[in-house]
Amino acid sequence: SILRINPAWEIMRDTMEARVEIPYMNTALQLVNPMNYPYFRIITSLGIVSDMFMDPETNAYIPHNKEINGAVYPQRTDWYSTNLVIDAQELILKFDIPKYKPVGDDFSLVLCIGVEFGKPGTDGQPLPVRHAGCAKVLGVG
């Protein structure tokens, strides 16, 4: 509800990557900024979640593939003024295949998008404002 755009997205499991197309955006109409922060940026992330199994001895859930479980590849846009028109852009998120190439179907890729607000720091450059943003899961593949 903060970012009123519909990004196109695709998860490509075989290559361990995702694509997010952020459309043209008029921030006056498509960005809800209740605290009137001067900056914002869009954050996307592609994460790996392993299938889990129950260990009867410890009565705890254990990831089937511990080496890749919880790996995250983030991608951020530049900081933008909250009073601009932003051109369409494409973000590509891609894991390093040799390091993260899982064997089998014991994992899922999770694609998320969020908005982060910022304010000027002491040097005038934007700094993130804690607890001033939101995110959602776009898809699982």
Side-chain angles (χ1 to χ4, degrees):
S1 62
I2 295 286
L3 197 57
R4 295 182 175 171
I5 58 171
N6 290 320
W9 56 272
E10 177 182 18
I11 297 172
M12 293 150 288
R13 186 180 170 93
D14 55 334
T15 57
M16 300 292 289
E17 66 183 300
R19 178 185 53 79
V20 179
E21 293 179 13
I22 300 169
Y24 162 93
M25 180 175 34
N26 181 341
T27 59
L29 302 172
Q30 295 168 308
L31 178 70
V32 177
N33 185 4
M35 300 303 290
N36 293 318
Y37 290 114
Y39 302 107
F40 82 101
R41 66 180 170 185
I42 297 172
I43 301 172
T44 56
S45 65
L46 181 63
I48 302 174
V49 180
S50 173
D51 288 352
M52 307 292 273
F53 68 92
M54 173 63 93
D55 182 352
E57 292 179 16
T58 61
N59 200 30
Y61 286 101
I62 308 231
H64 189 265
N65 195 332
K66 293 179 186 176
E67 292 78 35
I68 63 168
N69 186 54
V72 177
Y73 186 95
Q75 183 77 285
R76 293 173 171 84
T77 66
D78 294 330
W79 285 104
Y80 298 112
S81 167
T82 53
N83 298 311
L84 285 180
V85 172
I86 311 297
D87 288 333
Q89 57 189 301
E90 180 180 69
L91 301 174
I92 303 293
L93 301 97
K94 183 172 180 149
F95 280 103
D96 180 24
I97 291 287
K99 183 177 179 183
Y100 291 106
K101 184 61 179 171
V103 177
D105 292 329
D106 65 347
F107 71 97
S108 296
L109 295 176
V110 180
L111 180 62
C112 303
I113 189 168
V115 63
E116 180 176 41
F117 287 99
K119 62 182 179 181
T122 56
D123 61 355
Q125 297 299 312
L127 290 175
V129 178
R130 291 176 52 109
H131 310 294
C134 63
K136 75 175 191 173
V137 173
L138 287 176
V140 177

